[in-house]
């Protein structure tokens, strides 16, 4: 009888995780692994496509570009994150809250929106060149975009928070007594920084840099829109081989190469740092503390670092801020500040059938993604916390893999699987695909809530006669609701922001808003795109504000 009572909770734990395992098996692992078979040829096994990747110069150059650009972006993210993390760690808690908003707002704003803003800022007739030529600093516009500089600026802006957050946690967790002892022994602030702070913050930097590099090697949107022919990366080459050349086997071989690189980096990350850095986020103990070097206030180097941190924060927030005034401009030509203001482009956004259909399709796909990912992710999080400790790391790895593997690989695999079945071109299908990307966010946030849930409350409710469903509805769900809501918000943002899956799984009738924007930006920026960008930013802000308000409400 005792053995039965022990086994029964474990049995129901596996029942809870089974739906997500089946869902990911069908719509993630099967499409991704099927690319491995395609890469070896359709009729007979061959290594021809892998040999071609090695022998053809253009493929070698694209692979080299991918790693060079990813390495440069990672280096830039690390360099510019240090002054921001130092600034966040050395200000008062109230100021820190405001600065965190500045860091996190771009982080949760659509990457497509930020790329749009950077193109407006950096193009030959953009805001930056207009300012430089108007002030007499330069005679001719400088090519800031459609080249390597544009790709580096755009990708650094998108990925930098992945380094800032763990680096800030590392700063906060430094033991102040070490710094005081070093200062008491006569060490200068420079020596303290070089011999104590740099080594102690190195793990946070390496972890953040690994995540940035992992994201960079499969990046698509920014290189496609802000780069030139010399900055083509492997994700773009995969898409070209399918959309332009219809060479599925070569595209599959390129996908397998990208998948192999990603998995190797992820395995190394997991072995060195563990999954806790992904599963628990960047929160750290003592996050309300104020970090400082020495007891005599900031040195000249400290003030210089603060100035650099402020400059980087301006770099982060500027593309977001210019969207709103430009969306209210009346001219068909993009200029900042606008000569006159009107709601002309918002009117077109909500009256033109193309844009309205895009908004409707995006909302439908996001609705499917949110509902499905919340149910599956919540069940999986509850079940994973109750299975044996031997299986838990494996399940956690499986459930977060979709947010690690480049989305171009999933897109190609799903398109290859669903297209012969006639299942592409529907917001429902796209919503199912978005659920694959969204469910790890729900799993992570709900799992974090469950870590702080007191199991004694569950046992007490059931000992008083409550069934498990009643206990869940009246005890557990209210306690983990902030995590569920946060996961739903992140799932919605993830779905509403997607471009790559939409490019493969939608047609002209089922195009989402981001796909309409992407296709418009690839040719010439219609001011309606700026109005759509402003709407997406407002929607994101509203969702994050609702999440913040609801998560602060006391549960009863």
């Amino acid at each position: 009888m005792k053995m039965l009572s022990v086994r029964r909770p474990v049995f129901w734990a596996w029942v809870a995780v089974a739906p997500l395992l089946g869902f990911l098996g069908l719509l993630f692992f099967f499409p991704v692994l099927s690319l491995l078979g395609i890469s070896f040829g359709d009729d007979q096994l061959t290594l021809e496509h892998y040999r071609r990747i090695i022998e053809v110069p253009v493929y070698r150059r694209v692979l080299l570009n991918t790693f060079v650009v990813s390495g440069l972006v990672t280096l830039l993210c690390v360099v510019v994150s240090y002054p921001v993390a130092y600034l966040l760690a050395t200000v008062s808690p109230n100021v820190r809250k405001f600065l965190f908003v500045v860091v996190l707002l771009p982080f949760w704003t659509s990457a497509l929106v930020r790329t749009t803003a950077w193109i407006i800022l950096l193009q030959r007739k953009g805001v930056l060149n207009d300012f430089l030529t108007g002030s007499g600093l330069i005679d001719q516009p400088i090519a800031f975009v459609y080249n390597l500089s544009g790709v580096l600026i755009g990708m650094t802006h998108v990925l930098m928070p992945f380094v800032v957050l763990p680096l800030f946690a590392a700063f906060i967790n430094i033991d102040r007594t070490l710094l005081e002892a070093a200062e008491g022994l006569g060490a200068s602030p420079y020596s303290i920084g070089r011999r104590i702070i740099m080594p102690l913050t190195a793990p946070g930097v390496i972890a953040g840099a690994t995540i940035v590099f992992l994201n960079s090697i499969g990046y698509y949107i920014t290189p496609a829109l802000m780069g030139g022919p010399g900055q083509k990366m492997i994700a773009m080459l995969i898409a070209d081989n399918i959309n332009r050349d219809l060479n599925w086997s070569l595209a599959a071989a390129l996908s397998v190469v990208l998948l192999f690189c990603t998995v190797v980096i992820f395995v190394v990350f997991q072995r060195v740092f563990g999954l806790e850095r992904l599963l628990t986020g960047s929160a750290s103990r003592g996050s309300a503390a104020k970090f400082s070097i020495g007891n005599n206030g900031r040195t000249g180097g400290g003030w210089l670092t603060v100035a650099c941190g402020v400059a980087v924060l301006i770099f982060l927030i500027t593309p977001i801020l210019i969207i709103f005034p430009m969306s209210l401009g009346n001219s068909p030509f993009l200029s900042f500040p606008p000569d006159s203001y009107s709601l002309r482009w918002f009117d077109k956004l909500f009256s033109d059938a193309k844009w309205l259909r895009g908004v409707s399709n995006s909302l439908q796909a996001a609705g499917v993604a949110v509902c499905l990912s919340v149910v599956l992710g919540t069940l999986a999080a509850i079940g994973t916390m109750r299975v044996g400790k031997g299986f838990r790391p494996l399940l956690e790895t499986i459930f977060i893999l979709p947010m690690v593997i480049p989305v171009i690989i999933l897109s190609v695999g799903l398109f290859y699987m669903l297209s012969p079945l006639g299942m592409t071109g529907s917001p429902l299908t796209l919503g199912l695909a978005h659920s694959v990307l969204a469910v790890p966010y729900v799993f992570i946030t709900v799992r974090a809530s469950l870590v702080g849930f007191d199991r004694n409350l569950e046992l007490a409710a059931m000992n008083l006669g409550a069934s498990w469903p009643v206990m869940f509805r009246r005890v557990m769900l209210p306690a983990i609701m902030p995590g569920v809501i946060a996961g739903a918000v992140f799932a919605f943002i993830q779905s509403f922001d997607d471009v790559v899956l939409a490019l493969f799984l939608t047609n002209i009738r089922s195009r989402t808003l981001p796909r309409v924007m992407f296709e418009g930006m690839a040719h010439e920026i219609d001011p309606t795109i700026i109005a759509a960008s402003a709407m997406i930013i407002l929607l994101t802000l509203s969702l994050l504000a609702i999440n913040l308000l609801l998560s602060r409400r006391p549960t009863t």
Side-chain angles (χ1 to χ4, degrees), residues 198-518:
M198 295 294 286
L200 291 178
T201 57
V205 171
I206 295 172
T210 304
I211 297 173
V212 168
F213 191 84
L214 202 64
N215 280 271
S216 297
I217 59 174
Y219 222 70
Y220 181 85
I221 296 175
T222 303
L225 293 176
M226 298 186 68
Q231 289 73 50
K232 178 169 285 191
M233 297 177 67
I234 189 170
M236 301 164 61
L237 194 60
I238 293 170
D240 287 346
N241 272 279
I242 292 175
N243 297 327
R244 187 183 63 192
D245 302 330
L246 298 178
N247 193 336
W248 278 96
S249 296
L250 185 56
L254 289 166
S255 299
V256 171
V257 171
L258 179 58
L259 178 64
F260 174 78
C261 296
T262 304
V263 170
V264 168
I265 295 171
F266 176 68
V267 169
V268 172
F269 179 92
Q270 183 181 8
R271 290 291 181 89
V272 176
F273 299 103
L275 287 178
E276 286 302 310
R277 285 192 180 271
L278 286 175
L279 295 174
T280 60
S282 59
S284 63
R285 58 180 174 83
S287 59
K290 184 177 179 180
F291 171 84
S292 63
I293 302 177
N295 299 312
N296 300 318
R298 298 189 197 274
T299 62
W303 283 111
L304 178 61
T305 305
V306 167
C308 292
V310 171
V312 175
L313 291 176
I314 293 173
F315 163 80
L316 281 176
I317 201 66
T318 297
I320 308 299
L321 296 181
I322 71 159
I323 289 291
F324 293 101
M326 294 193 70
S327 67
L328 298 173
N330 190 41
S331 171
F333 305 102
L334 297 175
S335 60
F336 183 85
D339 298 328
S340 58
Y341 294 88
S342 75
L343 296 175
R344 172 184 179 182
W345 305 114
F346 284 96
D347 181 66
K348 181 179 179 181
L349 176 64
F350 292 107
S351 60
D352 190 305
K354 176 181 71 174
W355 294 99
L356 282 176
R357 192 182 305 118
V359 172
S360 175
N361 290 332
S362 292
L363 291 175
Q364 291 179 57
V368 172
V370 169
C371 293
L372 193 57
S373 62
V374 165
V375 173
L376 294 179
T378 302
L379 282 174
I382 295 172
T384 302
M385 297 296 288
R386 285 161 168 75
V387 299
K389 291 184 179 180
F391 289 102
R392 189 178 302 167
L394 175 63
L395 289 175
E396 291 172 343
T397 301
I398 291 172
F399 294 152
I400 69 168
L401 267 179
M403 68 185 298
V404 175
I405 302 301
V407 67
I408 186 70
I409 298 176
L410 176 63
S411 303
V412 173
L414 283 174
F415 183 61
Y416 181 81
M417 183 181 76
L418 298 177
S419 183
L421 302 176
M423 294 181 62
T424 58
S426 166
L428 174 60
T429 301
L430 184 62
L432 292 174
H434 285 169
S435 300
V436 176
L437 301 181
V439 75
Y441 293 93
V442 179
F443 175 79
I444 289 172
T445 56
V446 174
R447 180 193 178 281
S449 297
L450 285 168
V451 169
F453 176 68
D454 188 353
R455 289 290 301 274
N456 291 324
L457 297 176
E458 175 184 351
L459 297 175
M462 298 184 72
N463 286 335
L464 291 173
S467 62
W468 198 94
V470 172
M471 182 282 304
F472 174 76
R473 180 172 57 87
R474 303 190 66 174
V475 178
M476 182 182 290
L477 184 59
I480 66 173
M481 184 57 71
V484 175
I485 295 172
V489 170
F490 297 156
F492 184 92
I493 294 173
Q494 175 70 34
S495 174
F496 208 83
D497 184 33
D498 169 71
V499 175
V500 182
L501 279 168
L503 288 173
F504 283 88
L505 300 181
T506 62
N507 54 32
I508 194 169
R509 295 288 302 175
S510 60
R511 288 182 301 177
T512 60
L513 180 61
R515 177 174 172 176
V516 174
M517 294 171 62
F518 179 86

Side-chain angles (χ1 to χ4, degrees), residues 139-151:
D139 296 326
Q140 297 293 329
I142 299 175
F144 290 112
V145 73
Y146 308 124
N147 50 29
L148 180 60
S149 63
V151 174

Side-chain angles (χ1 to χ4, degrees), residues 122-140:
L122 301 177
Q123 62 186 344
R124 293 187 67 86
K125 295 184 179 179
V127 176
L128 181 58
N129 271 313
D130 285 348
F131 170 78
L132 294 175
T133 54
S135 61
L137 295 175
I138 59 174
D139 296 326
Q140 297 293 329

